[in-house]
Amino acid sequence: MTDTQFGVRHYIGAPVAITRLAEQNIVCMPPRSAKFTLEEWRMSNEQRCRNTEDQQQLADRIIGESERIREETAERAAIMKATTDRRIEERIGDVEFIKKELEIQRKEICLELEALSMYKTRLQDCLASLQINALTICRKCLVLRDGRIGIDLVVDDVEHALQQEITAILGGQSLLKRTLEQLNEQMRRLRSTRYLLDRDLQYKQGAIDSDTGSLSLKPTDLCLSVYEGYANLDPASISAEEYNAVSNKNIQQAAREVTSARPIRVFIDTLLNQVIDDLWTAFNKCNHEFNERIKQTKIAKEKLEDMHRETTEKISKMQHNILQLQKALSDKEGNVGLAHTRLGRRAQRISAELVRDPPGQSLFYECEMLRYSVGQLQQMLQEATASLRYLLQTQLQLEEDINVKMNTLKIDEVDCMTLRATMDYHAY
């Protein structure tokens, strides 16, 4: 709400009080004069001068800025061209360095392929020289040991050693064939890597030629052209990191393949001796496990025999103990009868004589104690009888275990070790 509604508004002449619009009278104002005042003329001139000065200062700044930008763009273009030339030279040097590394790896691959071809011929000549040795005896030992009975039919270290010896024998049979397969695979991978290196070398030589031609161009050459198309002028979609990763991957793959191929030659040189050493190691380990198992079985058998002897003695002592307990029970029957008879006679006393005197209490206590003693003897007799029964069962079990151990000793010490004494390994 403003003073034009409820205040006083000054017009040319006297002030007119205004209230509400409905209460105001219509005032007719004369039109403005077509001439300006002196103050307006002076203000207009001053404003025009200030605007002119501002435009002149703006023009001076634009001229100075334009000169500075021309110099800056010229310097920037020169710097950018020098930077681009330097980077192209560096790029050519980097590509040539990578190309040399690739050529070195390619040469090593070619040398390795020639060496592997010679070893392949040796493997093909020696493939049939390895024969299965003692496989039948080892399997027969496993079959014989399946004849163990009872608790001795266990998967022990001897069985593990036999399985390992069989594995070593079967591995020796197929080792040359698998080595030849690995050698063929390695040679295939080397050829594949050499193909990738050849292709990469071709691409890098093309890149070197292109950058060398670009480096020889000058801004004043007549063969230059300006691209006016809408598509991106730089179609490169591979970053420098990806490019380096691809080149390094090829170099590392070539080095890795050469490195993995070299141990194959050493492995082939030591293959036969290593197979024989492995077979002798498995043979000696299996014999050691057999001897240890036989020793453990003998110790267990001797311990069972000692326990059987001790159990027999305990059975004899327990039988004597049962006889003594039965005799003690028989003796207690007389004492119980005597105490009960005395109590019965004293119970026949008449009138006041039927008193609870110390003799009666003593007889009652004696009966209770005799009953308790008879219960203890009967309990001990039951426990002794049960213990005797368990001892007899233990004696039978010990006899069975001793027979099991004797059967195991016969199989391991007599049958298996006699067969293994005929085994022999020699260099092929």
PDB file of all heavy atoms in Angstrom, residues 211-227:
ATOM      1  N   ASP A 211      54.943 -42.349 -38.866  1.00  0.00           N
ATOM      2  CA  ASP A 211      55.388 -41.231 -38.023  1.00  0.00           C
ATOM      3  C   ASP A 211      56.609 -40.544 -38.608  1.00  0.00           C
ATOM      4  O   ASP A 211      56.757 -39.309 -38.493  1.00  0.00           O
ATOM      5  CB  ASP A 211      55.705 -41.750 -36.617  1.00  0.00           C
ATOM      6  CG  ASP A 211      54.450 -42.118 -35.848  1.00  0.00           C
ATOM      7  OD1 ASP A 211      53.369 -41.651 -36.239  1.00  0.00           O
ATOM      8  OD2 ASP A 211      54.546 -42.870 -34.852  1.00  0.00           O
ATOM      9  N   THR A 212      57.488 -41.286 -39.248  1.00  0.00           N
ATOM     10  CA  THR A 212      58.656 -40.668 -39.883  1.00  0.00           C
ATOM     11  C   THR A 212      58.223 -39.741 -41.019  1.00  0.00           C
ATOM     12  O   THR A 212      58.760 -38.631 -41.182  1.00  0.00           O
ATOM     13  CB  THR A 212      59.611 -41.756 -40.404  1.00  0.00           C
ATOM     14  OG1 THR A 212      59.976 -42.622 -39.320  1.00  0.00           O
ATOM     15  CG2 THR A 212      60.858 -41.145 -41.002  1.00  0.00           C
ATOM     16  N   GLY A 213      57.257 -40.172 -41.824  1.00  0.00           N
ATOM     17  CA  GLY A 213      56.737 -39.311 -42.888  1.00  0.00           C
ATOM     18  C   GLY A 213      56.047 -38.078 -42.344  1.00  0.00           C
ATOM     19  O   GLY A 213      56.184 -36.978 -42.886  1.00  0.00           O
ATOM     20  N   SER A 214      55.293 -38.254 -41.247  1.00  0.00           N
ATOM     21  CA  SER A 214      54.617 -37.093 -40.642  1.00  0.00           C
ATOM     22  C   SER A 214      55.619 -36.114 -40.059  1.00  0.00           C
ATOM     23  O   SER A 214      55.404 -34.885 -40.085  1.00  0.00           O
ATOM     24  CB  SER A 214      53.667 -37.583 -39.541  1.00  0.00           C
ATOM     25  OG  SER A 214      52.655 -38.413 -40.086  1.00  0.00           O
ATOM     26  N   LEU A 215      56.719 -36.625 -39.505  1.00  0.00           N
ATOM     27  CA  LEU A 215      57.720 -35.744 -38.897  1.00  0.00           C
ATOM     28  C   LEU A 215      58.423 -34.885 -39.940  1.00  0.00           C
ATOM     29  O   LEU A 215      58.875 -33.766 -39.649  1.00  0.00           O
ATOM     30  CB  LEU A 215      58.738 -36.590 -38.126  1.00  0.00           C
ATOM     31  CG  LEU A 215      59.760 -35.834 -37.288  1.00  0.00           C
ATOM     32  CD1 LEU A 215      59.074 -35.019 -36.204  1.00  0.00           C
ATOM     33  CD2 LEU A 215      60.756 -36.802 -36.654  1.00  0.00           C
ATOM     34  N   SER A 216      58.519 -35.348 -41.182  1.00  0.00           N
ATOM     35  CA  SER A 216      59.212 -34.591 -42.241  1.00  0.00           C
ATOM     36  C   SER A 216      58.355 -33.485 -42.850  1.00  0.00           C
ATOM     37  O   SER A 216      58.853 -32.667 -43.630  1.00  0.00           O
ATOM     38  CB  SER A 216      59.674 -35.551 -43.343  1.00  0.00           C
ATOM     39  OG  SER A 216      58.548 -36.169 -43.966  1.00  0.00           O
ATOM     40  N   LEU A 217      57.072 -33.432 -42.526  1.00  0.00           N
ATOM     41  CA  LEU A 217      56.195 -32.403 -43.087  1.00  0.00           C
ATOM     42  C   LEU A 217      56.437 -31.062 -42.417  1.00  0.00           C
ATOM     43  O   LEU A 217      56.797 -30.987 -41.232  1.00  0.00           O
ATOM     44  CB  LEU A 217      54.724 -32.821 -42.923  1.00  0.00           C
ATOM     45  CG  LEU A 217      54.276 -34.063 -43.703  1.00  0.00           C
ATOM     46  CD1 LEU A 217      52.822 -34.399 -43.359  1.00  0.00           C
ATOM     47  CD2 LEU A 217      54.430 -33.842 -45.214  1.00  0.00           C
ATOM     48  N   LYS A 218      56.178 -29.934 -43.191  1.00  0.00           N
ATOM     49  CA  LYS A 218      56.320 -28.574 -42.692  1.00  0.00           C
ATOM     50  C   LYS A 218      55.038 -27.798 -42.983  1.00  0.00           C
ATOM     51  O   LYS A 218      54.281 -28.150 -43.876  1.00  0.00           O
ATOM     52  CB  LYS A 218      57.509 -27.880 -43.361  1.00  0.00           C
ATOM     53  CG  LYS A 218      58.854 -28.548 -43.064  1.00  0.00           C
ATOM     54  CD  LYS A 218      59.979 -27.808 -43.768  1.00  0.00           C
ATOM     55  CE  LYS A 218      61.318 -28.486 -43.484  1.00  0.00           C
ATOM     56  NZ  LYS A 218      62.443 -27.794 -44.191  1.00  0.00           N
ATOM     57  N   PRO A 219      54.810 -26.704 -42.237  1.00  0.00           N
ATOM     58  CA  PRO A 219      53.580 -25.923 -42.486  1.00  0.00           C
ATOM     59  C   PRO A 219      53.518 -25.304 -43.872  1.00  0.00           C
ATOM     60  O   PRO A 219      52.427 -24.945 -44.349  1.00  0.00           O
ATOM     61  CB  PRO A 219      53.634 -24.839 -41.394  1.00  0.00           C
ATOM     62  CG  PRO A 219      54.517 -25.406 -40.329  1.00  0.00           C
ATOM     63  CD  PRO A 219      55.529 -26.237 -41.038  1.00  0.00           C
ATOM     64  N   THR A 220      54.666 -25.165 -44.534  1.00  0.00           N
ATOM     65  CA  THR A 220      54.694 -24.520 -45.855  1.00  0.00           C
ATOM     66  C   THR A 220      54.616 -25.521 -46.996  1.00  0.00           C
ATOM     67  O   THR A 220      54.700 -25.107 -48.169  1.00  0.00           O
ATOM     68  CB  THR A 220      55.982 -23.691 -45.979  1.00  0.00           C
ATOM     69  OG1 THR A 220      57.109 -24.553 -45.786  1.00  0.00           O
ATOM     70  CG2 THR A 220      56.013 -22.569 -44.951  1.00  0.00           C
ATOM     71  N   ASP A 221      54.468 -26.800 -46.690  1.00  0.00           N
ATOM     72  CA  ASP A 221      54.407 -27.795 -47.755  1.00  0.00           C
ATOM     73  C   ASP A 221      53.110 -27.657 -48.532  1.00  0.00           C
ATOM     74  O   ASP A 221      52.059 -27.264 -47.985  1.00  0.00           O
ATOM     75  CB  ASP A 221      54.521 -29.203 -47.172  1.00  0.00           C
ATOM     76  CG  ASP A 221      55.925 -29.472 -46.636  1.00  0.00           C
ATOM     77  OD1 ASP A 221      56.847 -28.738 -47.030  1.00  0.00           O
ATOM     78  OD2 ASP A 221      56.074 -30.414 -45.815  1.00  0.00           O
ATOM     79  N   LEU A 222      53.168 -27.998 -49.813  1.00  0.00           N
ATOM     80  CA  LEU A 222      51.996 -27.873 -50.675  1.00  0.00           C
ATOM     81  C   LEU A 222      51.070 -29.072 -50.592  1.00  0.00           C
ATOM     82  O   LEU A 222      49.933 -29.009 -51.074  1.00  0.00           O
ATOM     83  CB  LEU A 222      52.464 -27.681 -52.137  1.00  0.00           C
ATOM     84  CG  LEU A 222      53.317 -26.437 -52.406  1.00  0.00           C
ATOM     85  CD1 LEU A 222      53.759 -26.415 -53.870  1.00  0.00           C
ATOM     86  CD2 LEU A 222      52.547 -25.178 -52.053  1.00  0.00           C
ATOM     87  N   CYS A 223      51.550 -30.135 -49.991  1.00  0.00           N
ATOM     88  CA  CYS A 223      50.722 -31.347 -49.935  1.00  0.00           C
ATOM     89  C   CYS A 223      49.787 -31.364 -48.739  1.00  0.00           C
ATOM     90  O   CYS A 223      49.101 -32.364 -48.502  1.00  0.00           O
ATOM     91  CB  CYS A 223      51.628 -32.579 -49.914  1.00  0.00           C
ATOM     92  SG  CYS A 223      52.735 -32.635 -48.487  1.00  0.00           S
ATOM     93  N   LEU A 224      49.745 -30.283 -47.979  1.00  0.00           N
ATOM     94  CA  LEU A 224      48.898 -30.246 -46.790  1.00  0.00           C
ATOM     95  C   LEU A 224      47.444 -30.026 -47.185  1.00  0.00           C
ATOM     96  O   LEU A 224      47.139 -29.449 -48.219  1.00  0.00           O
ATOM     97  CB  LEU A 224      49.365 -29.142 -45.839  1.00  0.00           C
ATOM     98  CG  LEU A 224      50.825 -29.214 -45.379  1.00  0.00           C
ATOM     99  CD1 LEU A 224      51.145 -28.061 -44.436  1.00  0.00           C
ATOM    100  CD2 LEU A 224      51.096 -30.549 -44.717  1.00  0.00           C
ATOM    101  N   SER A 225      46.560 -30.482 -46.332  1.00  0.00           N
ATOM    102  CA  SER A 225      45.122 -30.320 -46.588  1.00  0.00           C
ATOM    103  C   SER A 225      44.410 -30.151 -45.259  1.00  0.00           C
ATOM    104  O   SER A 225      44.885 -30.597 -44.217  1.00  0.00           O
ATOM    105  CB  SER A 225      44.563 -31.544 -47.341  1.00  0.00           C
ATOM    106  OG  SER A 225      44.712 -32.713 -46.573  1.00  0.00           O
ATOM    107  N   VAL A 226      43.270 -29.482 -45.318  1.00  0.00           N
ATOM    108  CA  VAL A 226      42.459 -29.236 -44.129  1.00  0.00           C
ATOM    109  C   VAL A 226      41.235 -30.133 -44.192  1.00  0.00           C
ATOM    110  O   VAL A 226      40.523 -30.156 -45.206  1.00  0.00           O
ATOM    111  CB  VAL A 226      42.049 -27.751 -44.039  1.00  0.00           C
ATOM    112  CG1 VAL A 226      41.150 -27.539 -42.832  1.00  0.00           C
ATOM    113  CG2 VAL A 226      43.286 -26.863 -43.963  1.00  0.00           C
ATOM    114  N   TYR A 227      41.013 -30.829 -43.119  1.00  0.00           N
ATOM    115  CA  TYR A 227      39.871 -31.738 -43.066  1.00  0.00           C
ATOM    116  C   TYR A 227      38.610 -30.947 -42.740  1.00  0.00           C
ATOM    117  O   TYR A 227      38.574 -30.169 -41.778  1.00  0.00           O
ATOM    118  CB  TYR A 227      40.122 -32.810 -42.002  1.00  0.00           C
ATOM    119  CG  TYR A 227      38.983 -33.787 -41.831  1.00  0.00           C
ATOM    120  CD1 TYR A 227      38.722 -34.749 -42.793  1.00  0.00           C
ATOM    121  CD2 TYR A 227      38.172 -33.729 -40.699  1.00  0.00           C
ATOM    122  CE1 TYR A 227      37.688 -35.645 -42.635  1.00  0.00           C
ATOM    123  CE2 TYR A 227      37.141 -34.614 -40.533  1.00  0.00           C
ATOM    124  CZ  TYR A 227      36.887 -35.585 -41.496  1.00  0.00           C
ATOM    125  OH  TYR A 227      35.871 -36.467 -41.347  1.00  0.00           O
TER     126      TYR A 227
END
